[in-house]
Amino acid sequence: MIDALYIAADSPLHRLPAGLKLAAIPVLAALLFALPGWPVAAVGLAIVLALLPVSGVPPRRAAKQLRPAIAVIAVLFLVQLWFTDVAAAAGAALRFLALILAATLLTMTTRATALIEALEALFRRLAWTGLSPERLSLAIALTLRFIPVLGQVVEEVREAQAARGRDRSIVALAVPVLVRLLKTADEVAEAIDARS
Amino acid sequence: MIELRNVTLHRGERRVLDGLSLSLAEPRIGILGANGSGKSSFARLLNGLLLPTSGHVTVDGIDTRDDVKAARRRVGFLFQNPDNQIVHPTVAEDIAFGLKPRRLPKPAVAAAVSAILARVGLAGSEERLIHELSGGERQLVALAGVLVMEPAHLVLDEPTTLLDLRNRRRIAAAVADFPGQVILVTHDLDLVESFDRVIVFEAGHVVVDDRSGPAVHAYRALCR
Amino acid sequence: MIELRNVTLHRGERRVLDGLSLSLAEPRIGILGANGSGKSSFARLLNGLLLPTSGHVTVDGIDTRDDVKAARRRVGFLFQNPDNQIVHPTVAEDIAFGLKPRRLPKPAVAAAVSAILARVGLAGSEERLIHELSGGERQLVALAGVLVMEPAHLVLDEPTTLLDLRNRRRIAAAVADFPGQVILVTHDLDLVESFDRVIVFEAGHVVVDDRSGPAVHAYRALCR
Amino acid sequence: MATRDIVYIALFAALMAVLGAFPPLMIPALGIPITAQSMGPMLIGGILGARRGLLSMLLFLLLVAVGLPLLSGGRGGLGVFVGPWSGFIYGWVAATLVVGFAAERLWPRLNFVTAFLTMVAGGIGVVYAVGVPWYSAMSGMDLGAAFIGSAAAFIPGDLIKAGVGAAVVVALRKSYPAVPAGLASRRS
Ligand SMILES: Nc1ncnc2c1ncn2[C@@H]1O[C@H](COP(=O)(O)OP(=O)(O)OP(=O)(O)O)[C@@H](O)[C@H]1O
Ligand SMILES: Nc1ncnc2c1ncn2[C@@H]1O[C@H](COP(=O)(O)OP(=O)(O)OP(=O)(O)O)[C@@H](O)[C@H]1O
Ligand SMILES: O=C(O)CCCC[C@@H]1SC[C@@H]2NC(=O)N[C@@H]21
Ligand SMILES: [Mg+2]
Ligand SMILES: [Mg+2]
């Protein structure tokens, strides 16, 4: 799951440091919004599109990731058309296309672990503020560990309640689930202390 | 009587139970087997918490596939961890939970709750907060919540693993008093000592099905 | 050696342990007692997960109140439920977790992990996902995560209650091989059969402290 | 921050992920899903309090940002943060903080009514206060129209979620009083 959206390949984009790619997104966003007008947005989109063949990401996979976003952007284009004019509508749509495609490319060419490492490095540098890379990586690992545990607890509680003849109350399900999870968390905390 | 005819059960990709045919008629039946051998899955078939992938499970003639609610009303189920099945913060509220669909008048519910609490040895605990009870007491409350619905059959899935000897005996005693049929899944061989029949599972099959003495003996040998 | 001198422990309003003085020197010590008698609280004192309200706990001369980290490094702790002590999603990562503060080079960590996995009978399981393991395997991983830190003492709080006979034996065997001191809390009387010393708690006090045979006998009598 | 706080923070980030497993309902006219995850800020704030709740929500969004498909419908990656609808996600962060803060203040006299009002104001009001203007700015849709559009689509569901969230938090306070919202972190 941790690399669900990543596409393994060896491209220049894959090799760029994760931190650099991560920093590029806000810069691109700032540029696109600071320089309005559809021609700028179109140039931006063209540049990002040009990266696609360099990235080693099959266009089909990229398109699949973009599909939900494209639907929204289509809606946005029509809405804009209604309230403003074609130029503004096209500008907004192209801007978001460029930005979302760039962000998606980053996600598909960078391992989650590399991004997390980049964040940890950042945290290390900012250690004086109280940010701790060890705590960050522990919290991330725990979250991934808890997802299946949670699923299992929900399943067990749901079963227990079905056995008592009541199937459908969300509150009656959520309370015992949370009680069990909090107890689990208390013991996990103890276990971590015992191991560190 | 609970019957399984040619039951196969898949969970996810795995075939968890394979071609089971059993008639469960004895008043006290124990289920043993290794972790993952299919005991809990089997128990869940008996009250329709799981439905067979193929074959039929019938409870007193009711096919769990045809009318799961009716089947389930006849089969009470107690789980290993009382925290799973306790819904309300106080004892009385929680025990009354399963009675709600019956729409009884309040005094009748209160009387039923008090009677059942006395039966499991917790008379007068109506207003106590569940989270202040000990593990053993919580398991007894969970059992009371099942008994109050007056099922004809009682299926228990490792109900005593978290308990000490004394609490284990209290649960065992409350279960022994149960007038209907008991089907008990456990790793605790002492609990099934006096049972009429003991069935041992291994990888989704029944490998032993006998009176208690010889079955337990065979199970010990299997685990070597 | 672990020593308690005049230890009293309060949790919330309650006095959970009361005026305990014990020298724990024998290589194998079992702890028995009813639910709520204070066993888990006692076990948690031994590695400083809890600190005494008054009195002193020392591990090989280190007072848990003075240097809890140093004391804790000497005492490994295994809990009842593997799901509550495994913090990483894969086996190797989890076992390596306790080694992090040592800042060993990666290959050294990998070698230590593989060696310990072999010792608990799970060689080659490095990359398996925790949630795909069986309950028994998960408990063995949790034990490996403790053993890899090479503690001098091993405290186990009901480590086998969720396991079948075979997995119980696997844990018992791995524990038997442990070169240091073992202090084992359990409701399973078979597990402490061969132990050097067995201590029985009741309501926060030691009521029996003897060789295994007589202690277990006394405990059974208590639970009547 | 105690170890227990880190574990709670991770636990509720995982809870957020599990809420995302409920299938979302797409509103075609807006392109924004009706999702169980909008209950997350209510539960997380109401149970963990402001500080730990905020960190938990940020941790969840961090995992989404690095590419884990944990938003409803299996979406993830940086793309979801730069869209016209992303304001709602930023709204979750603010909402967790507000609900958490209110729950901490109200904890001793939290009942269904006060909890429900907290959820409505913090868990719905704050989310919309960030999400709707963002959407309208990004889409050029008139603010009122954007609000009416999203309100009509989301508010009925969100009111139900606020009711569930309030009932859960109140019941939990009685069943597991070991965690007064936010107080645990201060105690240790
Ligand atoms: N929800 C599930 N989805 C897929 N497979 C499952 C599920 N639950 C159990 N299994 C698999 O079904 C098999 C039988 O599981 P079951 O829980 O019935 O065993 P058990 O005999 O009760 O074990 P234990 O003694 O550990 O409780 C196991 O291989 C298990 O991995
Ligand atoms: N976190 C806590 N806060 C307050 N009281 C507690 C806490 N944990 C345990 N206690 C109380 O301390 C007493 C001893 O509990 P402890 O868990 O040590 O018993 P135990 O012998 O391990 O029981 P079991 O066999 O059920 O595990 C009990 O009365 C229990 O209610
Ligand atoms: O999944 C996302 O990308 C974010 C979705 C935001 C959905 C908002 S939150 C408030 C409102 N209530 C809903 O059910 N959906 C919207
Ligand atoms: Mg089972
Ligand atoms: Mg205990």
Side-chain angles (χ1 to χ4, degrees):
Chain A
M1 182 177 63
I2 180 114
D3 272 331
L5 304 179
Y6 174 75
I7 290 182
D10 185 29
S11 78
L13 232 54
H14 279 78
R15 285 192 296 268
L16 276 184
L20 193 69
K21 285 187 268 186
L22 210 49
I25 300 292
V27 172
L28 179 67
L31 281 177
L32 283 173
F33 283 99
L35 307 171
W38 70 267
V40 177
V43 170
L45 180 60
I47 294 174
V48 180
L49 275 175
L51 286 175
L52 190 58
V54 181
S55 70
V57 171
R60 236 174 240 210
R61 298 286 293 274
K64 189 169 163 237
Q65 273 308 307
L66 283 177
R67 202 166 300 139
I70 286 174
V72 187
I73 290 170
V75 173
L76 181 144
F77 179 76
L78 292 176
V79 168
Q80 287 261 9
L81 213 52
W82 180 266
F83 285 102
T84 57
D85 55 49
V86 184
L94 291 173
R95 197 148 56 217
F96 278 117
L97 264 183
L99 204 49
I100 294 173
L101 181 60
T104 306
L105 265 185
L106 180 153
T107 301
M108 299 180 99
T109 59
T110 318
R111 280 192 185 280
T113 42
L115 287 169
I116 291 169
E117 271 163 25
L119 275 166
E120 284 171 359
L122 180 69
F123 271 43
R124 205 161 290 125
R125 227 171 278 167
L126 297 177
W128 53 271
T129 61
L131 291 174
S132 147
E134 284 81 25
R135 284 180 182 169
L136 175 69
S137 47
L138 176 61
I140 291 173
L142 277 171
T143 307
L144 299 178
R145 165 79 190 114
F146 274 140
I147 291 172
V149 171
L150 235 141
Q152 195 185 337
V153 169
V154 170
E155 181 53 29
E156 283 178 24
V157 172
R158 199 195 57 72
E159 235 183 9
Q161 297 192 346
R164 289 180 78 182
R166 306 271 306 279
D167 264 328
R168 268 188 280 282
S169 163
I170 298 178
V171 178
L173 178 73
V175 173
V177 164
L178 286 167
V179 168
R180 257 199 68 183
L181 289 174
L182 289 167
K183 282 188 177 172
T184 299
D186 287 343
E187 191 160 311
V188 168
E190 272 194 321
I192 290 171
D193 283 339
R195 290 173 72 184
S196 48
Chain B
M1 186 161 81
I2 303 184
E3 283 198 275
L4 291 89
R5 268 176 298 136
N6 243 317
V7 166
T8 298
L9 176 71
H10 288 251
R11 299 185 80 167
E13 315 276 272
R14 303 192 46 160
R15 179 183 307 218
V16 170
L17 295 170
D18 196 10
L20 282 189
S21 292
L22 287 167
S23 292
L24 304 172
E26 295 77 4
R28 295 291 181 267
I29 301 182
I31 310 287
L32 305 176
N35 289 129
S37 59
K39 303 179 299 298
S40 294
S41 306
F42 172 77
R44 280 159 181 69
L45 282 173
L46 304 183
N47 77 338
L49 278 175
L50 292 175
L51 295 174
T53 312
S54 69
H56 294 273
V57 177
T58 55
V59 178
D60 302 325
I62 304 162
D63 193 316
T64 56
R65 206 190 283 284
D66 294 340
D67 188 350
V68 72
K69 293 232 157 158
R72 215 170 263 171
R73 257 198 304 279
R74 306 198 56 77
V75 184
F77 203 109
L78 187 67
F79 295 79
Q80 176 177 55
N81 189 342
D83 290 338
N84 285 348
Q85 76 187 60
I86 290 177
V87 180
H88 287 279
T90 65
V91 171
E93 279 178 292
D94 188 74
I95 295 179
F97 171 81
L99 294 177
K100 273 196 191 154
R102 303 203 188 156
R103 305 185 182 287
L104 301 175
K106 270 196 181 174
V109 170
V113 167
S114 298
I116 214 74
L117 276 175
R119 220 163 92 200
V120 300
L122 289 176
S125 300
E126 283 84 349
E127 295 313 317
R128 289 171 74 187
L129 289 170
I130 305 268
H131 73 88
E132 290 178 0
L133 301 180
S134 75
E137 288 171 331
R138 274 209 293 273
Q139 188 62 289
L140 287 165
V141 169
L143 177 61
V146 175
L147 293 180
V148 78
M149 300 171 73
E150 304 186 321
H153 311 263
L154 184 57
V155 177
L156 307 97
D157 192 0
E158 308 192 31
T160 60
T161 40
L162 306 176
L163 304 182
D164 64 29
L165 222 53
R166 193 179 298 158
N167 280 320
R168 224 175 282 182
R169 292 213 181 116
R170 286 169 83 184
I171 295 282
V175 168
D177 286 347
F178 180 70
Q181 183 185 36
V182 172
I183 298 174
L184 172 69
V185 176
T186 187
H187 293 301
D188 180 356
L189 306 181
D190 294 347
L191 273 180
V192 297
E193 214 169 39
S194 61
F195 276 27
D196 306 301
R197 177 178 176 188
V198 169
I199 301 174
V200 179
F201 281 84
E202 177 80 49
H205 292 271
V206 170
V207 291
V208 180
D209 184 348
D210 208 331
R211 280 169 305 113
S212 169
V216 168
H217 190 79
Y219 176 58
R220 279 195 190 278
L222 263 175
C223 288
R224 245 163 258 294
Chain C
M1 186 161 81
I2 303 184
E3 284 199 276
L4 292 88
R5 267 176 297 135
N6 243 315
V7 167
T8 298
L9 176 73
H10 288 251
R11 298 185 82 167
E13 315 276 89
R14 298 190 49 158
R15 180 184 306 219
V16 169
L17 293 172
D18 196 8
L20 281 190
S21 291
L22 287 167
S23 293
L24 305 171
E26 295 76 4
R28 295 291 181 268
I29 301 181
I31 311 286
L32 304 176
N35 290 129
S37 59
K39 302 180 301 297
S40 294
S41 307
F42 172 76
R44 280 161 179 70
L45 282 172
L46 304 183
N47 77 338
L49 277 176
L50 291 175
L51 294 175
T53 312
S54 68
H56 294 272
V57 176
T58 55
V59 177
D60 302 325
I62 303 162
D63 193 317
T64 55
R65 206 191 283 284
D66 293 341
D67 188 351
V68 71
K69 293 230 157 157
R72 219 170 257 172
R73 256 196 306 277
R74 305 198 56 77
V75 184
F77 202 107
L78 189 68
F79 295 79
Q80 176 179 53
N81 189 341
D83 287 333
N84 295 359
Q85 54 194 319
I86 295 179
V87 298
H88 281 269
T90 65
V91 171
E93 280 179 292
D94 186 73
I95 295 178
F97 171 73
L99 294 177
K100 271 201 188 149
R102 304 203 188 156
R103 304 187 181 287
L104 302 174
K106 273 193 181 175
V109 171
V113 168
S114 298
I116 213 74
L117 276 175
R119 219 162 94 200
V120 300
L122 289 176
S125 299
E126 283 83 350
E127 295 311 317
R128 290 171 74 188
L129 288 171
I130 299 289
H131 73 91
E132 290 177 356
L133 301 179
S134 76
E137 288 172 330
R138 279 207 288 270
Q139 188 63 291
L140 287 164
V141 169
L143 177 60
V146 174
L147 293 180
V148 78
M149 300 172 72
E150 305 187 321
H153 313 264
L154 184 58
V155 177
L156 308 98
D157 192 1
E158 309 192 31
T160 61
T161 39
L162 306 176
L163 305 182
D164 65 29
L165 223 53
R166 192 179 298 158
N167 280 319
R168 224 175 281 183
R169 292 214 181 113
R170 286 169 82 185
I171 295 284
V175 168
D177 286 347
F178 179 69
Q181 183 185 36
V182 172
I183 299 174
L184 172 70
V185 177
T186 185
H187 294 301
D188 180 355
L189 305 181
D190 294 347
L191 272 180
V192 298
E193 216 170 37
S194 62
F195 275 27
D196 306 301
R197 177 177 174 188
V198 169
I199 301 174
V200 180
F201 280 84
E202 177 78 47
H205 293 271
V206 171
V207 291
V208 179
D209 184 349
D210 209 332
R211 279 169 306 112
S212 171
V216 168
H217 190 81
Y219 176 59
R220 278 195 191 277
L222 263 175
C223 288
R224 243 162 260 295
Chain D
M1 197 168 45
T3 308
R4 191 161 80 131
D5 295 322
I6 300 179
V7 178
Y8 279 7
I9 287 165
L11 177 65
F12 281 81
L15 178 78
M16 198 61 195
V18 170
L19 285 175
F22 289 91
L25 212 76
M26 248 328 156
I27 303 297
L30 293 169
I32 309 174
I34 295 181
T35 161
Q37 281 177 325
S38 71
M39 197 160 69
M42 306 177 190
L43 288 176
I44 295 178
I47 296 168
L48 291 190
R51 188 174 125 84
R52 293 179 299 178
L54 173 69
L55 291 172
S56 186
M57 183 57 77
L58 289 176
L59 174 61
F60 168 73
L61 293 178
L62 185 89
L63 289 173
V64 171
V66 302
L68 271 63
L70 303 179
L71 274 187
S72 62
R75 290 164 304 121
L78 271 183
V80 300
F81 292 92
V82 295
W85 63 89
S86 305
F88 285 103
I89 295 181
Y90 299 111
W92 289 347
V93 177
T96 309
L97 203 58
V98 171
V99 171
F101 195 74
E104 284 179 38
R105 292 305 110 123
L106 290 170
W107 193 254
R109 54 212 137 86
L110 199 69
N111 56 39
F112 182 77
V113 177
T114 53
F116 183 69
L117 294 177
T118 301
M119 301 303 172
V120 170
I124 302 180
V126 173
V127 174
Y128 286 47
V130 181
V132 173
W134 176 292
Y135 188 75
S136 115
M138 297 292 156
S139 69
M141 193 192 262
D142 170 62
L143 193 61
F147 178 75
I148 289 166
S150 51
F154 301 134
I155 286 192
D158 282 353
L159 282 174
I160 294 174
K161 290 173 217 163
V164 171
V168 167
V169 170
V170 170
L172 199 63
R173 173 170 162 273
K174 222 174 155 193
S175 303
Y176 200 77
V179 244
L183 296 183
S185 56
R186 251 175 263 152
R187 207 189 309 128
S188 38

